[in-house]
Amino acid sequence: MRQNVLKIYLDDNEWDHVVDMAASVSMPLSGFARTFLVTQKPPQPKASGVTVEAVAALNRCGSLLNQIARIGNSSQTFTAAEVRAVTTARERLLAIASQL
């Protein structure tokens, strides 16, 4: 848990500039400032063209994959080929998620 606070004073132009920079990478101001200060680099913008629907679809796929794995684990009816297929699907979903 973060308990330390850093307080700085900015004039209106500086404030507007920092707010615009955070908005350009779709980050809350505190997260942007923390990342910038800790890494000494501005955060990179999120991938363009990503929509809320795409993220929701990816989340649904991940949820379905988890349900399949849960059923397979509880009933222990998966074949080795099915386990490999689920593992491959999981790895692909993680790759897509990291690109988003």
Side-chain angles (χ1 to χ4, degrees):
M1 179 197 292
R2 294 182 179 104
Q3 297 175 347
N4 300 309
V5 176
L6 173 66
K7 187 173 183 176
I8 62 171
Y9 293 92
L10 304 170
D11 65 28
D12 289 342
N13 290 333
E14 292 168 333
W15 175 261
D16 291 340
H17 183 68
V18 173
V19 168
D20 290 343
M21 289 173 65
S24 73
V25 292
S26 302
M27 289 183 73
L29 188 56
S30 62
F32 175 84
R34 182 175 34 260
T35 300
F36 189 79
L37 287 169
V38 171
T39 65
Q40 298 181 4
K41 298 179 207 171
Q44 295 300 310
K46 294 186 178 184
S48 60
V50 175
T51 63
V52 173
E53 293 83 15
V55 172
L58 181 63
N59 288 337
R60 285 191 299 274
C61 290
S63 178
L64 290 172
L65 183 60
N66 285 337
Q67 290 176 23
I68 291 167
R70 191 174 309 119
I71 290 167
N73 286 333
S74 65
S75 66
Q76 297 186 354
T77 58
F78 274 0
T79 65
E82 290 169 329
V83 170
R84 281 191 298 277
V86 169
T87 302
T88 301
R90 178 184 175 276
E91 289 169 357
R92 181 66 181 129
L93 285 172
L94 289 173
I96 292 169
S98 69
Q99 292 173 358
L100 295 178

